[in-house]
Short mmCIF file of all heavy atoms in Angstrom, two decimals:
data_model
loop_
_atom_site.label_atom_id
_atom_site.label_comp_id
_atom_site.label_asym_id
_atom_site.label_seq_id
_atom_site.Cartn_x
_atom_site.Cartn_y
_atom_site.Cartn_z
N MET S 21 -82.05 9.67 -44.49
CA MET S 21 -81.64 8.33 -44.20
C MET S 21 -81.41 8.41 -42.73
O MET S 21 -81.19 9.33 -42.07
CB MET S 21 -80.15 8.01 -44.94
CG MET S 21 -80.28 7.94 -46.36
SD MET S 21 -81.16 6.46 -46.94
CE MET S 21 -80.09 5.25 -46.87
N PHE S 22 -81.30 7.15 -42.11
CA PHE S 22 -81.21 6.96 -40.70
C PHE S 22 -79.74 7.13 -40.22
O PHE S 22 -78.80 6.57 -40.93
CB PHE S 22 -81.65 5.59 -40.30
CG PHE S 22 -81.51 5.20 -38.90
CD1 PHE S 22 -82.27 5.85 -37.94
CD2 PHE S 22 -80.71 4.26 -38.51
CE1 PHE S 22 -82.10 5.47 -36.67
CE2 PHE S 22 -80.45 3.91 -37.27
CZ PHE S 22 -81.17 4.51 -36.23
N ARG S 23 -79.57 7.92 -39.16
CA ARG S 23 -78.29 8.12 -38.65
C ARG S 23 -78.21 7.84 -37.20
O ARG S 23 -78.62 8.47 -36.37
CB ARG S 23 -77.85 9.52 -38.89
CG ARG S 23 -77.61 9.97 -40.36
CD ARG S 23 -77.16 11.38 -40.46
NE ARG S 23 -77.18 11.81 -41.82
CZ ARG S 23 -76.18 12.33 -42.52
NH1 ARG S 23 -75.00 12.44 -41.87
NH2 ARG S 23 -76.19 12.52 -43.77
N PRO S 24 -77.70 6.63 -36.86
CA PRO S 24 -77.70 6.11 -35.50
C PRO S 24 -76.71 6.83 -34.66
O PRO S 24 -75.80 7.42 -35.18
CB PRO S 24 -77.25 4.67 -35.64
CG PRO S 24 -76.55 4.66 -36.87
CD PRO S 24 -77.10 5.64 -37.75
N GLY S 25 -77.04 7.01 -33.39
CA GLY S 25 -76.09 7.59 -32.48
C GLY S 25 -75.05 6.61 -31.84
O GLY S 25 -74.84 5.60 -32.47
N LYS S 26 -74.26 7.11 -31.01
CA LYS S 26 -73.10 6.20 -30.52
C LYS S 26 -73.69 4.97 -29.77
O LYS S 26 -73.20 3.96 -29.96
CB LYS S 26 -72.36 7.03 -29.50
CG LYS S 26 -71.48 8.18 -30.08
CD LYS S 26 -70.76 8.87 -29.07
CE LYS S 26 -69.95 10.05 -29.55
NZ LYS S 26 -69.22 10.79 -28.54
N ALA S 27 -74.75 5.18 -28.95
CA ALA S 27 -75.34 3.88 -28.35
C ALA S 27 -75.78 2.85 -29.38
O ALA S 27 -75.54 1.62 -29.23
CB ALA S 27 -76.40 4.24 -27.41
N GLY S 28 -76.50 3.32 -30.47
CA GLY S 28 -77.03 2.32 -31.33
C GLY S 28 -75.86 1.76 -32.19
O GLY S 28 -75.95 0.58 -32.49
N THR S 29 -74.85 2.44 -32.40
CA THR S 29 -73.69 1.91 -33.19
C THR S 29 -73.05 0.89 -32.24
O THR S 29 -72.57 -0.12 -32.72
CB THR S 29 -72.66 3.09 -33.52
OG1 THR S 29 -73.32 4.02 -34.34
CG2 THR S 29 -71.43 2.51 -34.25
N LEU S 30 -72.89 1.12 -31.03
CA LEU S 30 -72.24 0.24 -30.07
C LEU S 30 -73.05 -1.06 -30.02
O LEU S 30 -72.62 -2.17 -29.78
CB LEU S 30 -71.94 0.86 -28.66
CG LEU S 30 -70.66 1.79 -28.73
CD1 LEU S 30 -70.63 2.47 -27.39
CD2 LEU S 30 -69.43 1.15 -29.14
N ALA S 31 -74.43 -0.77 -29.89
CA ALA S 31 -75.25 -2.06 -29.81
C ALA S 31 -75.10 -2.94 -31.03
O ALA S 31 -75.03 -4.13 -30.93
CB ALA S 31 -76.78 -1.54 -29.63
N VAL S 32 -75.19 -2.35 -32.17
CA VAL S 32 -75.05 -3.03 -33.48
C VAL S 32 -73.62 -3.80 -33.48
O VAL S 32 -73.48 -4.92 -33.82
CB VAL S 32 -75.14 -2.21 -34.56
CG1 VAL S 32 -74.83 -3.00 -35.97
CG2 VAL S 32 -76.62 -1.79 -34.80
N ALA S 33 -72.55 -3.17 -33.06
CA ALA S 33 -71.28 -3.66 -33.06
C ALA S 33 -71.13 -4.84 -31.97
O ALA S 33 -70.63 -5.90 -32.35
CB ALA S 33 -70.22 -2.71 -32.63
N GLY S 34 -71.87 -4.77 -30.93
CA GLY S 34 -71.90 -5.88 -30.02
C GLY S 34 -72.68 -7.08 -30.51
O GLY S 34 -72.27 -8.14 -30.32
N LEU S 35 -73.87 -6.80 -31.19
CA LEU S 35 -74.60 -7.90 -31.80
C LEU S 35 -73.84 -8.61 -32.79
O LEU S 35 -73.88 -9.81 -33.06
CB LEU S 35 -75.88 -7.44 -32.32
CG LEU S 35 -76.87 -7.04 -31.21
CD1 LEU S 35 -78.03 -6.26 -31.94
CD2 LEU S 35 -77.44 -8.21 -30.56
N LEU S 36 -73.12 -7.76 -33.70
CA LEU S 36 -72.23 -8.37 -34.71
C LEU S 36 -71.03 -9.19 -34.16
O LEU S 36 -70.75 -10.31 -34.62
CB LEU S 36 -71.63 -7.35 -35.64
CG LEU S 36 -72.52 -6.67 -36.62
CD1 LEU S 36 -72.03 -5.60 -37.40
CD2 LEU S 36 -73.07 -7.74 -37.66
N LEU S 37 -70.53 -8.72 -32.94
CA LEU S 37 -69.47 -9.53 -32.34
C LEU S 37 -70.09 -10.81 -31.84
O LEU S 37 -69.42 -11.85 -31.89
CB LEU S 37 -68.85 -8.69 -31.11
CG LEU S 37 -67.65 -9.29 -30.52
CD1 LEU S 37 -66.44 -9.35 -31.48
CD2 LEU S 37 -67.35 -8.40 -29.34
N PHE S 38 -71.30 -10.76 -31.25
CA PHE S 38 -71.94 -12.02 -30.86
C PHE S 38 -72.13 -12.95 -31.95
O PHE S 38 -72.06 -14.11 -31.87
CB PHE S 38 -73.28 -11.61 -29.98
CG PHE S 38 -73.74 -12.77 -29.37
CD1 PHE S 38 -73.21 -13.52 -28.27
CD2 PHE S 38 -75.06 -13.27 -29.89
CE1 PHE S 38 -73.88 -14.65 -27.79
CE2 PHE S 38 -75.57 -14.41 -29.32
CZ PHE S 38 -75.02 -15.11 -28.25
N ALA S 39 -72.62 -12.40 -33.05
CA ALA S 39 -72.80 -13.26 -34.22
C ALA S 39 -71.64 -13.80 -34.69
O ALA S 39 -71.55 -15.14 -35.08
CB ALA S 39 -73.54 -12.51 -35.33
N ASP S 40 -70.45 -13.21 -34.73
CA ASP S 40 -69.12 -13.73 -35.00
C ASP S 40 -68.84 -14.85 -34.06
O ASP S 40 -68.38 -15.95 -34.46
CB ASP S 40 -68.08 -12.74 -34.90
CG ASP S 40 -68.14 -11.67 -36.08
OD1 ASP S 40 -68.84 -11.93 -37.00
OD2 ASP S 40 -67.57 -10.58 -35.82
N TYR S 41 -69.02 -14.79 -32.80
CA TYR S 41 -68.88 -15.82 -31.80
C TYR S 41 -69.61 -17.08 -32.19
O TYR S 41 -69.17 -18.10 -32.11
CB TYR S 41 -69.06 -15.25 -30.37
CG TYR S 41 -69.17 -16.44 -29.34
CD1 TYR S 41 -68.00 -17.24 -29.14
CD2 TYR S 41 -70.39 -16.95 -29.03
CE1 TYR S 41 -68.18 -18.32 -28.25
CE2 TYR S 41 -70.50 -18.05 -28.18
CZ TYR S 41 -69.32 -18.84 -27.77
OH TYR S 41 -69.40 -19.80 -27.05
N LEU S 42 -70.99 -16.79 -32.45
CA LEU S 42 -71.75 -17.94 -32.73
C LEU S 42 -71.27 -18.77 -33.79
O LEU S 42 -71.09 -20.00 -33.78
CB LEU S 42 -73.20 -17.57 -33.01
CG LEU S 42 -74.04 -16.88 -31.84
CD1 LEU S 42 -75.39 -16.38 -32.31
CD2 LEU S 42 -74.25 -18.05 -30.73
N LEU S 43 -70.93 -18.04 -34.92
CA LEU S 43 -70.41 -18.72 -36.05
C LEU S 43 -69.11 -19.44 -35.92
O LEU S 43 -68.86 -20.61 -36.29
CB LEU S 43 -70.26 -17.78 -37.26
CG LEU S 43 -71.59 -17.20 -37.78
CD1 LEU S 43 -71.35 -16.23 -38.83
CD2 LEU S 43 -72.57 -18.34 -38.27
N LEU S 44 -68.20 -18.80 -35.04
CA LEU S 44 -66.86 -19.50 -34.76
C LEU S 44 -67.04 -20.54 -33.84
O LEU S 44 -66.37 -21.62 -33.92
CB LEU S 44 -65.93 -18.43 -34.21
CG LEU S 44 -65.37 -17.36 -35.22
CD1 LEU S 44 -64.63 -16.33 -34.54
CD2 LEU S 44 -64.43 -18.09 -36.22
N ALA S 45 -68.02 -20.56 -32.91
CA ALA S 45 -68.18 -21.61 -32.00
C ALA S 45 -68.88 -22.78 -32.73
O ALA S 45 -68.55 -23.93 -32.49
CB ALA S 45 -69.01 -21.25 -30.85
N LYS S 46 -69.82 -22.47 -33.64
CA LYS S 46 -70.44 -23.65 -34.47
C LYS S 46 -69.44 -24.30 -35.37
O LYS S 46 -69.57 -25.56 -35.48
CB LYS S 46 -71.62 -22.94 -35.28
CG LYS S 46 -72.29 -23.85 -36.12
CD LYS S 46 -73.22 -24.75 -35.18
CE LYS S 46 -73.95 -25.79 -36.13
NZ LYS S 46 -74.48 -26.93 -35.52
N SER S 47 -68.59 -23.47 -35.90
CA SER S 47 -67.49 -24.12 -36.81
C SER S 47 -66.41 -24.89 -36.02
O SER S 47 -65.68 -25.66 -36.58
CB SER S 47 -66.90 -23.17 -37.73
OG SER S 47 -66.17 -22.08 -36.94
N GLY S 48 -66.34 -24.70 -34.65
CA GLY S 48 -65.30 -25.43 -33.93
C GLY S 48 -63.98 -24.64 -33.70
O GLY S 48 -63.17 -25.10 -33.06
N TYR S 49 -64.03 -23.31 -34.09
CA TYR S 49 -62.78 -22.60 -33.92
C TYR S 49 -62.56 -21.97 -32.52
O TYR S 49 -61.61 -21.68 -31.99
CB TYR S 49 -62.67 -21.42 -34.94
CG TYR S 49 -62.29 -21.98 -36.38
CD1 TYR S 49 -63.26 -21.94 -37.33
CD2 TYR S 49 -61.02 -22.26 -36.64
CE1 TYR S 49 -62.94 -22.34 -38.62
CE2 TYR S 49 -60.64 -22.79 -37.92
CZ TYR S 49 -61.62 -22.69 -38.97
OH TYR S 49 -61.34 -23.25 -40.16
N LEU S 50 -63.73 -21.86 -31.89
CA LEU S 50 -63.75 -21.37 -30.38
C LEU S 50 -64.55 -22.43 -29.63
O LEU S 50 -65.47 -23.08 -30.14
CB LEU S 50 -64.48 -20.05 -30.33
CG LEU S 50 -63.81 -18.79 -30.90
CD1 LEU S 50 -64.69 -17.63 -30.75
CD2 LEU S 50 -62.54 -18.62 -30.29
N ALA S 51 -64.14 -22.45 -28.33
CA ALA S 51 -64.85 -23.33 -27.48
C ALA S 51 -66.26 -22.76 -27.24
O ALA S 51 -66.37 -21.58 -26.86
CB ALA S 51 -64.04 -23.57 -26.07
N PRO S 52 -67.12 -23.65 -27.22
CA PRO S 52 -68.64 -23.10 -26.92
C PRO S 52 -68.75 -22.74 -25.57
O PRO S 52 -68.49 -23.65 -24.59
CB PRO S 52 -69.57 -24.29 -27.39
CG PRO S 52 -68.70 -25.46 -27.32
CD PRO S 52 -67.20 -25.09 -27.61
N LEU S 53 -69.30 -21.61 -25.29
CA LEU S 53 -69.45 -21.06 -23.87
C LEU S 53 -70.92 -21.23 -23.45
O LEU S 53 -71.29 -21.10 -22.34
CB LEU S 53 -69.09 -19.57 -23.71
CG LEU S 53 -67.60 -19.28 -24.02
CD1 LEU S 53 -67.34 -17.84 -23.94
CD2 LEU S 53 -66.77 -20.05 -22.97
N ILE S 54 -71.80 -21.48 -24.52
CA ILE S 54 -73.17 -21.68 -24.23
C ILE S 54 -73.58 -23.09 -24.81
O ILE S 54 -72.79 -23.76 -25.52
CB ILE S 54 -74.11 -20.61 -24.70
CG1 ILE S 54 -73.82 -20.39 -26.22
CG2 ILE S 54 -73.81 -19.28 -23.96
CD1 ILE S 54 -74.75 -19.34 -26.90
N ALA S 55 -74.76 -23.50 -24.60
CA ALA S 55 -75.23 -24.80 -25.05
C ALA S 55 -75.21 -24.93 -26.59
O ALA S 55 -75.62 -23.90 -27.24
CB ALA S 55 -76.62 -25.02 -24.48
N PRO S 56 -74.79 -25.99 -27.21
CA PRO S 56 -74.84 -26.25 -28.48
C PRO S 56 -76.14 -25.84 -29.18
O PRO S 56 -76.21 -25.48 -30.30
CB PRO S 56 -74.37 -27.63 -28.88
CG PRO S 56 -73.58 -28.03 -27.49
CD PRO S 56 -74.24 -27.23 -26.42
N ALA S 57 -77.23 -26.21 -28.55
CA ALA S 57 -78.63 -26.03 -29.09
C ALA S 57 -78.81 -24.53 -29.36
O ALA S 57 -79.30 -24.02 -30.28
CB ALA S 57 -79.64 -26.63 -28.24
N LEU S 58 -78.39 -23.76 -28.27
CA LEU S 58 -78.51 -22.21 -28.45
C LEU S 58 -77.58 -21.60 -29.48
O LEU S 58 -77.99 -20.70 -30.15
CB LEU S 58 -78.18 -21.66 -26.97
CG LEU S 58 -79.13 -21.91 -25.92
CD1 LEU S 58 -78.51 -21.23 -24.67
CD2 LEU S 58 -80.41 -21.40 -26.31
N ILE S 59 -76.47 -22.28 -29.70
CA ILE S 59 -75.61 -21.79 -30.70
C ILE S 59 -76.23 -22.07 -32.13
O ILE S 59 -76.24 -21.26 -32.99
CB ILE S 59 -74.20 -22.50 -30.63
CG1 ILE S 59 -73.45 -22.03 -29.34
CG2 ILE S 59 -73.37 -22.24 -31.89
CD1 ILE S 59 -72.27 -22.67 -29.20
N GLN S 60 -76.89 -23.26 -32.19
CA GLN S 60 -77.50 -23.57 -33.51
C GLN S 60 -78.64 -22.60 -33.75
O GLN S 60 -78.78 -22.16 -34.74
CB GLN S 60 -78.12 -25.05 -33.37
CG GLN S 60 -78.83 -25.54 -34.60
CD GLN S 60 -78.13 -25.58 -35.88
OE1 GLN S 60 -76.95 -26.12 -35.77
NE2 GLN S 60 -78.60 -25.39 -36.89
N TRP S 61 -79.51 -22.32 -32.78
CA TRP S 61 -80.62 -21.48 -32.91
C TRP S 61 -80.17 -20.07 -33.15
O TRP S 61 -80.86 -19.36 -33.92
CB TRP S 61 -81.53 -21.51 -31.76
CG TRP S 61 -82.56 -22.75 -31.77
CD1 TRP S 61 -82.49 -23.88 -31.16
CD2 TRP S 61 -83.54 -22.94 -32.79
NE1 TRP S 61 -83.37 -24.80 -31.49
CE2 TRP S 61 -84.08 -24.27 -32.59
CE3 TRP S 61 -84.11 -22.30 -33.77
CZ2 TRP S 61 -85.19 -24.74 -33.30
CZ3 TRP S 61 -85.24 -22.75 -34.52
CH2 TRP S 61 -85.68 -24.00 -34.24
N GLY S 62 -79.09 -19.73 -32.53
CA GLY S 62 -78.50 -18.31 -32.75
C GLY S 62 -77.99 -18.20 -34.14
O GLY S 62 -78.25 -17.10 -34.75
N CYS S 63 -77.39 -19.29 -34.62
CA CYS S 63 -77.01 -19.11 -36.15
C CYS S 63 -78.16 -19.08 -37.06
O CYS S 63 -78.15 -18.24 -38.01
CB CYS S 63 -76.11 -20.36 -36.47
SG CYS S 63 -74.56 -20.39 -35.78
N ILE S 64 -79.26 -19.72 -36.74
CA ILE S 64 -80.39 -19.64 -37.59
C ILE S 64 -81.11 -18.24 -37.53
O ILE S 64 -81.54 -17.71 -38.48
CB ILE S 64 -81.42 -20.77 -37.14
CG1 ILE S 64 -80.94 -22.09 -37.55
CG2 ILE S 64 -82.82 -20.59 -37.78
CD1 ILE S 64 -81.65 -23.31 -36.96
N ALA S 65 -81.02 -17.67 -36.32
CA ALA S 65 -81.64 -16.36 -36.11
C ALA S 65 -80.69 -15.37 -36.86
O ALA S 65 -81.26 -14.46 -37.47
CB ALA S 65 -81.76 -16.04 -34.65
N CYS S 66 -79.43 -15.55 -36.79
CA CYS S 66 -78.64 -14.71 -37.46
C CYS S 66 -78.73 -14.64 -38.96
O CYS S 66 -78.75 -13.65 -39.66
CB CYS S 66 -77.20 -14.88 -37.23
SG CYS S 66 -76.53 -14.33 -35.56
N ALA S 67 -78.97 -15.76 -39.43
CA ALA S 67 -79.22 -16.03 -40.96
C ALA S 67 -80.58 -15.27 -41.36
O ALA S 67 -80.62 -14.60 -42.34
CB ALA S 67 -79.23 -17.42 -41.25
N ALA S 68 -81.59 -15.45 -40.54
CA ALA S 68 -82.86 -14.79 -40.73
C ALA S 68 -82.77 -13.31 -40.80
O ALA S 68 -83.25 -12.61 -41.54
CB ALA S 68 -83.86 -15.22 -39.78
N VAL S 69 -81.92 -12.77 -39.76
CA VAL S 69 -81.85 -11.26 -39.71
C VAL S 69 -81.13 -10.79 -40.89
O VAL S 69 -81.48 -9.73 -41.55
CB VAL S 69 -81.11 -10.95 -38.34
CG1 VAL S 69 -80.63 -9.41 -38.43
CG2 VAL S 69 -82.01 -11.21 -37.18
N PHE S 70 -80.07 -11.45 -41.29
CA PHE S 70 -79.26 -10.98 -42.43
C PHE S 70 -80.02 -10.97 -43.64
O PHE S 70 -79.86 -10.30 -44.62
CB PHE S 70 -78.01 -11.71 -42.53
CG PHE S 70 -76.91 -11.14 -41.52
CD1 PHE S 70 -76.39 -12.07 -40.60
CD2 PHE S 70 -76.36 -9.80 -41.56
CE1 PHE S 70 -75.45 -11.60 -39.73
CE2 PHE S 70 -75.51 -9.43 -40.63
CZ PHE S 70 -75.00 -10.29 -39.76
N LEU S 71 -80.93 -12.08 -43.81
CA LEU S 71 -81.85 -12.24 -45.04
C LEU S 71 -82.78 -11.09 -45.04
O LEU S 71 -82.99 -10.46 -46.15
CB LEU S 71 -82.55 -13.59 -45.01
CG LEU S 71 -83.50 -13.81 -46.16
CD1 LEU S 71 -82.73 -13.99 -47.55
CD2 LEU S 71 -84.30 -15.09 -45.98
N LEU S 72 -83.38 -10.77 -43.89
CA LEU S 72 -84.20 -9.53 -43.97
C LEU S 72 -83.65 -8.24 -44.25
O LEU S 72 -84.15 -7.41 -44.92
CB LEU S 72 -84.94 -9.48 -42.52
CG LEU S 72 -85.91 -10.56 -42.09
CD1 LEU S 72 -86.37 -10.43 -40.70
CD2 LEU S 72 -87.15 -10.42 -42.97
N ARG S 73 -82.29 -8.17 -43.77
CA ARG S 73 -81.56 -7.05 -44.05
C ARG S 73 -81.18 -6.80 -45.53
O ARG S 73 -81.24 -5.82 -46.19
CB ARG S 73 -80.26 -6.95 -43.18
CG ARG S 73 -79.43 -5.78 -43.54
CD ARG S 73 -79.99 -4.55 -43.09
NE ARG S 73 -79.38 -3.37 -43.47
CZ ARG S 73 -79.74 -2.46 -44.52
NH1 ARG S 73 -80.85 -2.66 -45.11
NH2 ARG S 73 -78.96 -1.55 -44.84
N ALA S 74 -80.99 -8.03 -46.14
CA ALA S 74 -80.62 -8.04 -47.57
C ALA S 74 -81.89 -7.67 -48.38
O ALA S 74 -81.76 -7.13 -49.44
CB ALA S 74 -80.19 -9.41 -48.07
N MET S 75 -83.13 -7.91 -47.87
CA MET S 75 -84.34 -7.50 -48.67
C MET S 75 -84.39 -6.02 -48.54
O MET S 75 -84.87 -5.39 -49.49
CB MET S 75 -85.59 -8.13 -48.03
CG MET S 75 -85.76 -9.54 -48.26
SD MET S 75 -87.30 -10.18 -47.54
CE MET S 75 -86.88 -11.91 -47.59
N GLY S 76 -83.99 -5.34 -47.51
CA GLY S 76 -83.82 -4.00 -47.41
C GLY S 76 -85.10 -3.17 -46.97
O GLY S 76 -86.19 -3.80 -46.61
N ASP S 77 -85.10 -1.91 -47.20
CA ASP S 77 -86.28 -1.16 -46.78
C ASP S 77 -87.13 -0.80 -48.10
O ASP S 77 -88.07 0.02 -47.93
CB ASP S 77 -85.91 0.24 -46.14
CG ASP S 77 -85.06 1.06 -47.18
OD1 ASP S 77 -84.73 0.67 -48.28
OD2 ASP S 77 -84.63 2.16 -46.66
N PHE S 78 -87.04 -1.58 -49.06
CA PHE S 78 -87.64 -1.45 -50.35
C PHE S 78 -87.58 -0.17 -51.13
O PHE S 78 -88.34 0.07 -51.99
CB PHE S 78 -89.12 -1.76 -50.08
CG PHE S 78 -89.41 -3.11 -49.49
CD1 PHE S 78 -89.85 -3.44 -48.24
CD2 PHE S 78 -89.12 -4.36 -50.32
CE1 PHE S 78 -89.99 -4.64 -47.87
CE2 PHE S 78 -89.26 -5.55 -49.89
CZ PHE S 78 -89.68 -5.71 -48.56
N ARG S 79 -86.80 0.84 -50.60
CA ARG S 79 -86.75 2.08 -51.31
C ARG S 79 -85.18 2.34 -51.74
O ARG S 79 -84.94 2.56 -52.91
CB ARG S 79 -87.09 3.18 -50.32
CG ARG S 79 -87.05 4.56 -51.00
CD ARG S 79 -87.89 5.55 -50.28
NE ARG S 79 -87.68 7.00 -50.79
CZ ARG S 79 -88.41 7.48 -51.86
NH1 ARG S 79 -89.37 6.73 -52.43
NH2 ARG S 79 -88.01 8.59 -52.24
N TYR S 80 -84.29 2.29 -50.85
CA TYR S 80 -82.89 2.73 -51.09
C TYR S 80 -81.92 1.50 -51.14
O TYR S 80 -80.86 1.53 -51.92
CB TYR S 80 -82.36 3.82 -50.05
CG TYR S 80 -83.09 5.04 -50.09
CD1 TYR S 80 -83.93 5.47 -49.12
CD2 TYR S 80 -82.89 5.91 -51.26
CE1 TYR S 80 -84.53 6.68 -49.12
CE2 TYR S 80 -83.52 7.11 -51.31
CZ TYR S 80 -84.37 7.45 -50.21
OH TYR S 80 -85.11 8.66 -50.18
N VAL S 81 -82.19 0.49 -50.25
CA VAL S 81 -81.28 -0.67 -50.21
C VAL S 81 -82.01 -1.89 -50.32
O VAL S 81 -83.22 -2.11 -50.11
CB VAL S 81 -80.51 -0.56 -48.95
CG1 VAL S 81 -79.50 0.49 -48.84
CG2 VAL S 81 -81.34 -0.64 -47.67
N GLY S 82 -81.19 -2.97 -50.72
CA GLY S 82 -81.83 -4.29 -50.62
C GLY S 82 -82.10 -4.83 -52.03
O GLY S 82 -81.94 -4.16 -53.06
N PHE S 83 -82.52 -6.08 -52.10
CA PHE S 83 -82.81 -6.83 -53.38
C PHE S 83 -83.99 -6.10 -54.11
O PHE S 83 -84.01 -6.04 -55.42
CB PHE S 83 -83.36 -8.23 -53.07
CG PHE S 83 -82.22 -9.11 -52.58
CD1 PHE S 83 -82.61 -10.01 -51.51
CD2 PHE S 83 -80.98 -8.98 -52.99
CE1 PHE S 83 -81.68 -10.83 -50.98
CE2 PHE S 83 -79.97 -9.83 -52.33
CZ PHE S 83 -80.46 -10.76 -51.39
N PHE S 84 -84.93 -5.46 -53.44
CA PHE S 84 -86.16 -4.92 -54.17
C PHE S 84 -86.16 -3.39 -54.06
O PHE S 84 -87.25 -2.80 -54.04
CB PHE S 84 -87.38 -5.46 -53.49
CG PHE S 84 -87.29 -7.03 -53.51
CD1 PHE S 84 -87.12 -7.61 -52.18
CD2 PHE S 84 -87.52 -7.73 -54.58
CE1 PHE S 84 -87.21 -8.99 -52.16
CE2 PHE S 84 -87.42 -9.08 -54.46
CZ PHE S 84 -87.39 -9.72 -53.27
N LYS S 85 -84.98 -2.73 -54.10
CA LYS S 85 -85.00 -1.24 -54.05
C LYS S 85 -85.63 -0.50 -55.23
O LYS S 85 -85.72 -1.14 -56.31
CB LYS S 85 -83.52 -0.76 -53.82
CG LYS S 85 -82.73 -0.94 -55.01
CD LYS S 85 -81.19 -0.48 -54.70
CE LYS S 85 -80.41 -0.92 -55.79
NZ LYS S 85 -79.04 -0.74 -55.50
N LYS S 86 -86.22 0.54 -54.94
CA LYS S 86 -86.93 1.34 -56.08
C LYS S 86 -86.10 2.37 -56.63
O LYS S 86 -86.31 2.76 -57.76
CB LYS S 86 -88.20 1.83 -55.47
CG LYS S 86 -89.14 0.79 -55.08
CD LYS S 86 -90.47 1.33 -54.50
CE LYS S 86 -91.41 0.27 -54.03
NZ LYS S 86 -92.55 0.69 -53.18
N VAL S 87 -85.24 3.06 -55.83
CA VAL S 87 -84.46 4.18 -56.30
C VAL S 87 -83.16 3.51 -56.93
O VAL S 87 -82.31 2.94 -56.25
CB VAL S 87 -84.02 4.99 -55.06
CG1 VAL S 87 -83.09 6.13 -55.56
CG2 VAL S 87 -85.29 5.67 -54.44
N THR S 88 -83.12 3.64 -58.28
CA THR S 88 -82.06 3.08 -58.97
C THR S 88 -81.28 4.02 -59.89
O THR S 88 -80.39 3.71 -60.66
CB THR S 88 -82.40 1.87 -59.83
OG1 THR S 88 -83.45 2.35 -60.72
CG2 THR S 88 -83.03 0.73 -58.94
N HIS S 89 -81.70 5.41 -59.81
CA HIS S 89 -81.16 6.28 -60.71
C HIS S 89 -80.00 7.08 -60.21
O HIS S 89 -79.59 8.05 -60.81
CB HIS S 89 -82.28 7.23 -61.21
CG HIS S 89 -82.87 7.98 -60.03
ND1 HIS S 89 -83.91 7.42 -59.27
CD2 HIS S 89 -82.63 9.22 -59.56
CE1 HIS S 89 -84.23 8.31 -58.42
NE2 HIS S 89 -83.53 9.41 -58.45
N THR S 90 -79.41 6.72 -59.15
CA THR S 90 -78.27 7.35 -58.51
C THR S 90 -76.89 6.70 -58.97
O THR S 90 -76.89 5.58 -59.33
CB THR S 90 -78.30 7.50 -57.00
OG1 THR S 90 -78.27 6.07 -56.49
CG2 THR S 90 -79.65 8.09 -56.55
N ALA S 91 -75.86 7.39 -58.84
CA ALA S 91 -74.57 6.76 -59.19
C ALA S 91 -74.24 5.62 -58.33
O ALA S 91 -73.63 4.58 -58.65
CB ALA S 91 -73.44 7.85 -59.10
N PHE S 92 -74.69 5.68 -57.00
CA PHE S 92 -74.40 4.54 -56.01
C PHE S 92 -75.18 3.29 -56.45
O PHE S 92 -74.73 2.23 -56.16
CB PHE S 92 -74.76 5.06 -54.51
CG PHE S 92 -74.36 4.02 -53.63
CD1 PHE S 92 -73.18 3.69 -53.26
CD2 PHE S 92 -75.47 3.41 -53.02
CE1 PHE S 92 -72.93 2.72 -52.32
CE2 PHE S 92 -75.39 2.44 -52.14
CZ PHE S 92 -74.02 2.07 -51.62
N ALA S 93 -76.41 3.52 -56.92
CA ALA S 93 -77.20 2.41 -57.07
C ALA S 93 -77.00 1.63 -58.36
O ALA S 93 -77.50 0.47 -58.64
CB ALA S 93 -78.68 2.82 -57.13
N ARG S 94 -76.03 2.07 -59.29
CA ARG S 94 -75.87 1.38 -60.52
C ARG S 94 -75.02 0.18 -60.36
O ARG S 94 -74.34 -0.16 -59.81
CB ARG S 94 -75.19 2.34 -61.48
CG ARG S 94 -76.11 3.42 -61.85
CD ARG S 94 -75.53 4.28 -62.85
NE ARG S 94 -76.33 5.47 -63.04
CZ ARG S 94 -76.16 6.45 -63.67
NH1 ARG S 94 -75.08 6.58 -64.26
NH2 ARG S 94 -77.06 7.59 -63.72
#
């Protein structure tokens, strides 16, 4: 399995924080710091990334995983 380093973990944390900001700005809980059109496209991009992540790597995680005989996969 993939084990990211500190820099990769911080990069993912930063991207998740930015995705949180986009969703909160779109819903009106935070003041928008960027153009509303960019917030809209950012939310669409986040949805696409999370959909791709849900599909997984086709082996261990996701909707179409092949390894299902472990205790974790049940």
Side-chain angles (χ1 to χ4, degrees):
M21 296 294 279
F22 176 69
R23 294 182 187 233
K26 290 180 183 177
T29 302
L30 286 175
V32 170
L35 289 171
L36 286 173
L37 186 64
F38 185 67
D40 291 340
Y41 163 74
L42 288 174
L43 293 173
L44 288 172
K46 180 70 178 164
S47 65
Y49 286 108
L50 288 178
L53 299 176
I54 57 177
L58 290 176
I59 292 174
Q60 177 70 32
W61 282 106
C63 288
I64 292 169
C66 285
V69 167
F70 284 119
L71 179 65
L72 288 173
R73 178 63 187 112
M75 286 184 199
D77 63 0
F78 300 111
R79 182 163 172 89
Y80 295 112
V81 295
F83 295 142
F84 308 109
K85 65 184 172 188
K86 294 178 183 172
V87 176
T88 58
H89 59 276
T90 65
F92 177 75
R94 290 184 193 172

